[in-house]
């Protein structure tokens, strides 16, 4: 399918779909940098609440940055959207996009910045001419209350397109990365975003469900021998699936890497722990669910990942009654 170049969409306003932790980081720093940004919120009630609250409040380096961005709900979007940063939870992405589908230019840049895998392919099918890009970030940000977030740790963000996409777009992608690098956020392009996302998926398959089930912070996983043993077995299952897919070289030192992430984010409450504690649905289907689906397709047994998937679904439905 021939896609239009990224170039024309680059100059247009940035729309951000989803005002959660990651969306609010880009919204705040973009607003502070004077960029032309509009938020797309879930519905009119959320948009009214956003305005009543006085916009996004981000605690950053001991200061509260208040940013009152232009905020639309799907019904109030009027201009065509050429450049969209998607930061919704994976499980809400398609419905959120469908609600604004008629406003999305067919050649738009759709950049996904979220946990989990499997959504980009579905979006590309729904929007065949769009430039679907994916990103991965290590910025640490958590929600304090409605529209109030804390930027807890600085990180780095990489964006790129799947392996089979057009290499000639590299310069335009670099321009896009630069246009999203609102200080202090740093965005760079990556030649192999699939590898970065697969490595991130592997970490999320281990840290997210275990912290949610044991109700502990990331660092605590490493201090409990019974959890550590489970972690190693889960990682071995991931390595077997990766080998079947020819991706072992993307996961060098996975045991050490997971331990390093748990150490550097020791004080974090993982996003899944936060979702389970708040009675929200989780991203488990796009994390362990995605891995289990691939394992089934390749006849690989992943009993522990399946157990985690089932347990998180049980906890999630128990929390929502
Ligand atoms: O991505 C994360 C998450 O919480 O979703 C990790 C890396 C586990 C950090 O908390």
């Amino acid at each position: 399918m021939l896609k239009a170049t990224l170039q024309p969409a680059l100059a247009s306003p940035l729309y951000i779909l989803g005002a959660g932790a990651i969306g609010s980081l880009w919204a705040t720093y973009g607003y502070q940098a004077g960029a032309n940004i509009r938020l797309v919120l879930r519905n009119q009630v959320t948009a009214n609440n956003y305005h009543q609250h006085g916009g996004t409040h981000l605690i950053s380096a001991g200061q509260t940055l208040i940013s009152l961005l232009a905020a639309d709900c799907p019904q109030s979007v009027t201009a065509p959207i050429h450049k969209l940063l998607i930061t919704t939870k994976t499980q809400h992405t398609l419905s959120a996009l469908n609600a604004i589908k008629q406003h999305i230019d067919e050649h738009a840049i759709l950049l996904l910045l979220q946990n989990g895998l499997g959504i980009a392919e579905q979006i590309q099918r729904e929007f065949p001419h769009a430039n679907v890009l994916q990103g991965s970030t290590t910025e640490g940000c958590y929600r304090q209350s409605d529209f109030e977030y804390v930027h807890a740790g600085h990180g780095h963000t990489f964006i790129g397109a799947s392996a089979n996409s057009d290499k000639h777009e590299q310069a335009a992608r670099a321009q896009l990365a630069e246009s999203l690098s609102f200080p202090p956020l740093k965005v760079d392009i990556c030649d192999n975003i699939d590898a970065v996302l697969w490595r991130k998926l592997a970490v999320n398959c281990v840290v997210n469900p275990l912290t949610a089930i044991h109700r502990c912070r990331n660092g605590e996983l490493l201090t409990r021998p019974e959890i550590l043993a489970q972690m190693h077995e889960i990682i071995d299952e991931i390595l077997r699936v990766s080998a079947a897919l020819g991706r072992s070289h993307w996961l060098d030192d996975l045991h050490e890497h997971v331990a390093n992430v748990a150490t550097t984010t020791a004080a974090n409450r993982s996003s899944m722990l936060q979702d389970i504690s708040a009675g929200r649905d989780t991203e488990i289907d796009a994390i362990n669910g995605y891995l289990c689906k691939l394992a089934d397709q390749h006849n690989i047994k992943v009993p522990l990942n399946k157990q985690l998937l089932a347990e998180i679904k049980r906890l999630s439905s128990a929390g929502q009654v």
Side-chain angles (χ1 to χ4, degrees), residues 115 200 203-204 207-208 218 261 265 268 270-271:
N115 277 338
K200 171 130 173 81
V203 170
N204 290 140
V207 176
N208 292 28
N218 296 357
V261 174
T265 63
N268 274 26
S270 77
S271 53

Side-chain angles (χ1 to χ4, degrees), residues 123-160:
I123 294 179
Q124 192 68 80
R125 278 197 293 276
E126 290 273 330
F127 299 85
H129 302 287
N131 287 288
V132 178
L133 302 175
Q134 286 177 277
S136 173
T137 186
T138 54
E139 293 292 346
C141 186
Y142 64 86
R143 179 182 181 276
Q144 194 152 264
S145 55
D146 283 354
F147 310 117
E148 308 226 349
Y149 294 90
V150 179
H151 191 185
H154 291 282
H156 205 142
T157 303
F158 288 97
I159 63 170

Side-chain angles (χ1 to χ4, degrees), residues 202-203 205-216 220-240 254-255 258-259 288 291 302-312 315:
V203 170
C205 277
V206 183
V207 176
N208 292 28
L210 285 177
T211 49
I213 290 165
H214 297 286
R215 309 268 165 163
C216 66
E220 218 184 308
L221 293 176
L222 304 173
T223 65
R224 296 175 46 185
E226 75 287 5
I227 301 181
L228 256 182
Q230 252 192 324
M231 282 173 80
H232 288 303
E233 283 183 56
I234 298 162
I235 293 171
D236 287 338
E237 290 184 2
I238 298 168
L239 289 173
R240 283 199 289 277
L254 187 60
H255 290 273
V258 173
N288 302 76
L291 185 100
V302 288
L304 273 170
N305 276 278
K306 289 202 169 167
Q307 211 175 304
L308 295 175
L309 177 63
E311 182 60 8
I312 292 295
L315 288 174

